[in-house]
């Protein structure tokens, strides 16, 4: 079945460092891809999304490009801040059932000043 | 303001008891979801509903039940048949079932069996 694989955390960075969180997926057809962020004790918030191959989603300095050839949707940010510390989830919505949202296990990011 | 409200935020249950977690949304969304979050396992889908009076099992439905009598409400009952119910439960909704739109999440309910 469809699935999402994320790099294990925690990812620990100093402020202003470059961030990459890897996400790869297995799916039939052309799923839609999402990154969600969860701050401590809260629910998830959509960070960005891409609905077709080569689309780039971006928000708040974060970017991710839908790569069909490598089945990847890696999250990047050029300069992280302490306030970016959170858990990041990659997710997909299958093309055959767009009502489903399948999540990865999440990657915890810790940014220190 | 529009959003999703989950209650209570913390819930304690004795073994053998059923408990019901509330989820209400005023976003006029068609689809609603329940996820369970455990450390290191991400979010796993319990049930989802695309329309009133209809719902589908997710990947881990055993020991849970839901109802969708109103568009804005999607309560989850954790029954005594659920062997390991201690977890963080998240409710979500999406507009226009059938489209890959953004999911909005509630703040979650942390359930602990005592």
């Amino acid at each position: 079945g469809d699935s999402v694989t994320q790099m294990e955390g925690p990812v620990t960075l100093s402020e202003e460092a470059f961030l990459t969180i890897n996400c790869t997926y297995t799916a039939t057809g052309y799923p839609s891809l999402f990154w969600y962020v969860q701050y401590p004790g809260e629910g998830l918030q959509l960070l960005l999304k891409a609905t077709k191959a080569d689309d780039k989603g971006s928000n708040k300095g974060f970017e991710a490009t839908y790569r069909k050839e490598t089945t990847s949707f890696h999250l990047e940010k050029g300069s992280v801040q302490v306030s970016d510390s959170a858990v990041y989830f990659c997710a997909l919505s299958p093309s055959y059932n767009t009502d489903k949202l399948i999540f990865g296990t999440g990657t915890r990011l810790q940014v220190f000043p | 303001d529009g959003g999703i409200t989950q209650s209570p935020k913390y819930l304690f249950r004795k073994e053998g008891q059923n408990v019901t977690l509330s989820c209400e949304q005023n976003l006029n969304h068609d689809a609603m979801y329940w996820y369970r979050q455990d450390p290191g396992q991400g979010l796993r889908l319990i049930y989802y509903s695309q329309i009133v009076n209809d719902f589908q099992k997710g990947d881990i439905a055993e020991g849970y039940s839901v109802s969708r009598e109103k568009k804005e409400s999607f309560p989850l009952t954790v029954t005594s048949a659920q062997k390991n119910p201690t977890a963080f439960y998240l409710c979500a909704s999406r507009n226009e079932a059938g489209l890959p739109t953004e999911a909005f999440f509630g703040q979650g309910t942390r359930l602990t069996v005592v």
Side-chain angles (χ1 to χ4, degrees), chain A residues 93-101, chain B residues 25 27-33 48-52 54-56 68 71 92-103:
Chain A
S93 187
S95 56
Y96 60 84
N97 183 353
T98 53
D99 287 317
K100 291 195 76 173
L101 264 181
Chain B
Q25 55 101 355
L27 300 166
N28 200 34
H29 285 175
D30 296 311
M32 296 187 74
Y33 306 79
Y48 66 105
S49 168
Q50 297 165 285
I51 196 170
V52 173
D54 188 41
F55 46 82
Q56 288 78 42
R68 187 87 186 274
K71 187 175 185 178
S93 71
R94 291 168 90 183
N95 194 18
E96 296 193 44
L99 296 176
T101 53
E102 173 183 357

Side-chain angles (χ1 to χ4, degrees), chain A residues 38 40-42, chain B residues 6 8-13 21 37-39 85-90 107-113:
Chain A
Q38 184 179 34
E42 297 185 7
Chain B
Q6 288 187 243
K9 189 168 184 178
Y10 298 97
L11 185 58
F12 296 89
R13 189 195 94 171
L21 283 59
Q37 185 176 19
D38 295 283
T86 295
F88 190 52
Y89 291 87
L90 286 163
Q107 296 291 298
T109 293
R110 186 165 298 281
L111 173 64
T112 303
V113 173

Side-chain angles (χ1 to χ4, degrees), chain B residues 11 13 17-21 33-38 41 44-48 55-67 74-90 109 111-113:
Chain B
L11 185 58
R13 189 195 94 171
Q17 281 184 336
N18 293 353
V19 290
T20 297
L21 283 59
Y33 306 79
W34 275 105
Y35 289 91
R36 170 178 171 143
Q37 185 176 19
D38 295 283
Q41 296 195 51
R44 292 183 290 168
L45 182 63
I46 305 172
Y47 270 98
Y48 66 105
F55 46 82
Q56 288 78 42
K57 292 182 179 180
D59 300 316
I60 56 164
E62 185 175 352
Y64 300 97
S65 66
V66 294
S67 63
F74 191 43
L76 173 74
T77 297
V78 184
T79 74
S80 56
Q82 170 50 237
K83 299 305 180 188
N84 184 22
T86 295
F88 190 52
Y89 291 87
L90 286 163
T109 293
L111 173 64
T112 303
V113 173

